[in-house]
Amino acid sequence: MIILAKSAGFCFGVQRAVESLEAEAALGRVSTLGPIIHNGDVVKRFESMGVYAYESPEDFPDDSKVAIRAHGVAKSVIADIEERGLAYADLTCPFVKKIHNIVAKAYDDGDKIVIIGDKNHPEVAGINGWCENNAIIALDIPDLSGKIDSDDTLCVVSQTTMDRESFEKIVNYLKNSCKSVQVFDTICNATNKRQTEAGEIAAMVDMMIVIGGRNSSNTTKLTAICKKYCKNTYQIENFGDLPQDINIPKKIGITAGASTPAAIIKEVVEKMEEMQKNSGENFAAEFEEYEKSLITLNTRDIVKGTVIAVSEAGVSVNLGYKSDGFVPASEVSDDPSADIKSLVKVGDEIEAFVVRVNDVEGEVTLSMKKILAMKGAKEVEDAFETKEILEGKVTQVVNGGVIVTCKGIRVFIPASQASDRYLADLEVLVGTTANFRIIDIKKMRGRTKIVGSIKNVIEEQKTALAEQFWAGVEVGKRYQGVVKSLTKFGAFADIGGVDGLIHISELSWAKIKHPSEVVKEGDVVDVYVISFDKETGKISLGFKNADDNPWKKVEQLTEGDVIDCKIVRIVPFGAFAEIYPGVDGLIHISQVADKRIGKVEDELMVGQHVQAKVVEIDLENKKIGLSIRALLAKEAPAEEAAEEVVEEAVEAPVEEAPVEEAPVEEAPVAEAAEETAAEEATEEAASEE
């Protein structure tokens, strides 16, 4: 029995290149830039037609047309050919040409290029030539070490013959390592199909033959895939490469790389059929015995099998039946968003429910989901009796509640039981994992409706946590909490079964208008207990860090210091200026200018930066007095002040003091200052009235 892969042989790009080169050879002299494809027999056939391969444009005869091979070349090579005035035919595979365009555009946009493939392969070398040979080339994750940064913007492409498992592994690594990764899945569909089919066949046979060039990348990868499932695998270029003493088994699989001509494949198949026919008189009898050994399948059977292929469409399973079984994607898991490839791997042994057997079409449809449901139904019913807490994933919102999937069973959670608090939109629960308890099981008309409650479990857990909290709470003790809600006067945080209030004044050292300026719902916060009352259940929490208190910086100031500050607020009696974030000082209206003013706005505006002198520091009451006037008086020139004194003396009328009068004693400076201040204050009050 010989199984030949349907996808074996020339792919579209290779077929196109070979046929085009044959047409060019019929029209006149033509040579190829490198071997047209990786197959020695094909290259020799073209040499017999006068078509030779050269490694560089400068080696080409002047009268020969240049044929660019299917693997493609760098942009600079085409430029070199054109500069030399050589006629050429671009036989690059269209899929490879598409990669050239992607790379060229991304490189012009400033992206860093990553090519997943073999740096020594001509296709990869050609792709790299479209980004000035600056691409990072990787066959595995270690090849990327030290070459990418987390803030890189990457454009990722792949060699067309790359195996998908390696491609996806590297892509996942890049997505987790860099903030911006644009991935182009450039693995040829034919390559992917060929590799998948090769693995499926290899898992079914006793010998696997892979036909293709020794230097062919896609053939080498096919061989590696086949060896995973069939150790007795041979890679050959033609039938003559097979060992002379090879033992011929009863089941042989044959596939071929993208560069293998149909004639070579046909020769290998015919020779192997002949060898099987002559391998022993009992071959037919042995095969009959093999047929008898195959199991019999019926709808509704429960069977075990080995996974031989996994794709987005579903899972292929070897059941020991004459046909393989297939689990459609919708029947793999009860979670519609689940990634099949992360749930099932090639080589896994699985249990499945036989949904349908179609011997005519050779199809066996299976379901893994039904097996989970059958087992889960019993476990869920037992959990209802024991009141066990179950865990499941919220998969969808339905009329009146949500569906939680657990052990393959759909459990209905009414909206009133979906949370311990009102939820306006139940969609926020979809995708989350929830603990719940079964509260009712209804069997009706052959259906079973299972009802659960998330709320009951949350309330029980909160009660237990609250008891634990009140048993150990102390003033000053720190907790990690989650912000549950915001009000205009503060934020409520769950600190383990109980809610505490972080007053708005405790959220920030700076003045804020609303708690949302500092925290939002869902934030994790580190808090400490300021006070608590177990009887009322009220807890006051602190959030500000004492080390961040801006008033600690004020201790560095002394009266008389001159500082830079910014006007942040103007009031009728003066202006408040920010000294440090969270610390304001008052410039009284009498200290704004060196003259009497009616309005502060006449001299200052909000946002203005000024210099002021510290005239008072009251740390206990958190007050700081500032003066601009003191600096203005200090800056007045001494000569100008002296002139004003002289002018006043000249203009003042001269009166003789009575001889008998007692000498006048000068009032102390401080007392005079107080009187002056009192007078000014009285006048200001009068003017304000």
Side-chain angles (χ1 to χ4, degrees), residues 58 162 362 388 422 610 615 655:
E58 63 186 18
M162 190 70 189
E388 178 188 348
Y422 172 72
V610 298
V615 295
E655 293 183 3

Side-chain angles (χ1 to χ4, degrees), residues 120-414:
N120 297 317
H121 193 279
E123 179 189 311
V124 174
I127 296 169
N128 195 18
W130 288 83
C131 59
E132 299 181 357
N133 295 315
N134 286 321
I136 299 168
I137 303 173
L139 261 178
D140 206 345
I141 291 172
D143 295 337
L144 298 166
S145 179
K147 297 178 182 177
I148 58 171
D149 297 318
S150 59
D151 56 353
D152 280 340
T153 299
L154 303 182
C155 170
V156 183
V157 297
S158 171
Q159 183 177 339
T160 56
T161 55
M162 190 70 189
D163 70 279
R164 183 158 297 282
E165 184 179 347
S166 298
F167 172 75
E168 291 178 350
K169 182 174 72 171
I170 295 173
V171 166
N172 289 334
Y173 172 80
L174 291 172
K175 285 183 176 180
N176 291 326
S177 302
C178 298
K179 66 177 183 180
S180 179
V181 181
Q182 188 174 19
V183 179
F184 294 90
D185 186 348
T186 53
I187 297 176
C188 178
N189 289 334
T191 298
N192 191 38
K193 182 180 179 182
R194 184 181 288 108
Q195 291 175 353
T196 301
E197 188 180 19
E200 292 175 353
I201 293 174
M204 300 164 55
V205 299
D206 304 309
M207 176 192 289
M208 193 70 193
I209 298 174
V210 182
I211 313 168
R214 293 184 181 88
N215 298 323
S216 169
S217 172
N218 72 86
T219 303
T220 303
K221 290 184 176 67
L222 280 177
T223 303
I225 290 169
C226 291
K227 283 185 176 180
K228 285 184 180 180
Y229 310 109
C230 179
K231 293 182 179 179
N232 194 21
T233 295
Y234 296 89
Q235 180 178 337
I236 62 173
E237 285 198 352
N238 49 51
F239 180 75
D241 289 341
L242 279 171
Q244 294 290 326
D245 57 348
I246 189 171
N247 291 321
I248 305 300
K250 52 191 175 183
K251 289 186 75 176
I252 300 173
I254 298 176
T255 188
S259 301
T260 306
I264 294 178
I265 299 172
K266 182 180 179 182
E267 179 192 18
V268 173
V269 172
E270 289 177 349
K271 293 282 188 181
M272 295 308 297
E273 285 177 341
E274 185 179 346
M275 290 179 71
Q276 266 194 344
K277 186 177 181 181
N278 299 327
S279 63
E281 298 178 354
N282 297 324
F283 180 77
E286 289 175 0
F287 186 74
E288 186 178 347
E289 288 298 316
Y290 166 75
E291 289 265 281
K292 290 179 181 178
S293 70
L294 295 175
I295 65 171
T296 301
L297 291 181
N298 297 297
T299 301
R300 304 188 68 81
D301 282 352
I302 295 174
V303 295
K304 288 184 178 181
T306 302
V307 175
I308 57 175
V310 181
S311 67
E312 293 181 359
V315 179
S316 297
V317 186
N318 181 2
L319 301 170
Y321 184 62
K322 57 186 175 183
S323 299
D324 292 328
F326 185 72
V327 185
S330 60
E331 292 297 319
V332 174
S333 170
D334 50 16
D335 181 359
S337 64
D339 179 12
I340 297 175
K341 293 182 180 180
S342 67
L343 298 177
V344 187
K345 303 293 183 187
V346 172
D348 288 353
E349 185 177 76
I350 64 167
E351 194 173 33
F353 180 87
V354 180
V355 178
R356 185 169 68 103
V357 179
N358 188 333
D359 285 325
V360 176
E361 297 181 7
E363 292 182 354
V364 180
T365 305
L366 306 172
S367 172
M368 295 168 61
K369 190 167 70 174
K370 287 186 183 295
I371 292 292
L372 291 173
M374 291 165 65
K375 291 180 178 179
K378 179 67 170 63
E379 293 179 27
V380 168
E381 288 182 9
D382 291 344
F384 176 53
E385 298 295 332
T386 61
K387 300 189 181 300
E388 178 188 348
I389 295 175
L390 300 173
E391 184 181 278
K393 187 175 182 180
V394 182
T395 53
Q396 68 180 114
V397 176
V398 294
N399 187 26
V402 296
I403 297 296
V404 173
T405 302
C406 172
K407 302 180 185 296
I409 299 297
R410 288 163 56 89
V411 179
F412 174 67
I413 310 289

